[in-house]
Amino acid sequence: MNHVEIKFDNDILAEILHISDFGKYLIKLDTERVIQPPKNAVDVLGMLFTLLEENPETPQGRVYLGNQQEILHRTVTNIPQVINDFNNIEVIITINTEDEDGNIISTQSVTNITVSETHEELKEEPVEE
């Protein structure tokens, strides 16, 4: 069994998920799949939702699956704010494999992601009537 630990701060997502105080989030979930390290906050969000769905027996998974439609709707409609509100993302992925002798070999990768907000400047053009 492989193991993923995701730590981050995100006040908006914590409120949407109904499962964290003060926007600090720590989730430790198992998966049968080999998980690739995330490259950005969008990858972390997708990984988080996939892992919650795969772990319906956990308290976090039950909350997610019980409110999935609302959570996904609120996340998608607020996606720029959700992504830009990520802070201190750390993802620890532990992959367990078995060698020829039956020994379990654990390989761990740690990914830290910094989210920087990008602002596009909107310019208004005068409209002639």
Side-chain angles (χ1 to χ4, degrees), residues 18-124:
H18 310 292
I19 51 178
S20 175
D21 293 328
F22 311 111
K24 297 191 183 303
Y25 197 82
L26 169 61
I27 186 169
K28 298 176 185 180
L29 296 171
D30 293 327
T31 183
E32 293 289 332
R33 298 179 301 113
V34 174
I35 301 286
Q36 296 300 314
K39 294 178 179 63
N40 53 45
V42 174
D43 287 352
V44 172
L45 190 60
M47 177 187 290
L48 175 64
F49 288 157
T50 299
L51 289 168
L52 289 171
E53 197 168 287
E54 288 179 7
N55 288 272
E57 73 286 351
T58 65
Q60 301 96 338
R62 281 193 297 275
V63 169
Y64 175 72
L65 290 173
N67 302 287
Q68 190 173 25
Q69 185 174 1
E70 175 203 351
I71 289 169
L72 292 176
H73 173 75
R74 290 182 64 198
T75 301
V76 169
T77 56
N78 297 301
I79 196 74
Q81 293 90 354
V82 169
I83 297 301
N84 287 330
D85 200 49
F86 270 110
N87 272 314
N88 304 318
I89 300 172
E90 181 179 65
V91 179
I92 302 170
I93 299 172
T94 305
I95 304 296
N96 296 306
T97 56
E98 192 173 320
D99 67 11
E100 307 87 39
D101 299 325
N103 298 315
I104 300 296
I105 300 169
S106 291
T107 306
Q108 192 172 71
S109 69
V110 178
T111 304
N112 292 292
I113 298 174
T114 303
V115 178
S116 61
E117 188 173 353
T118 57
H119 296 282
E120 283 189 19
E121 196 173 332
L122 296 176
K123 296 183 180 181
E124 292 187 27

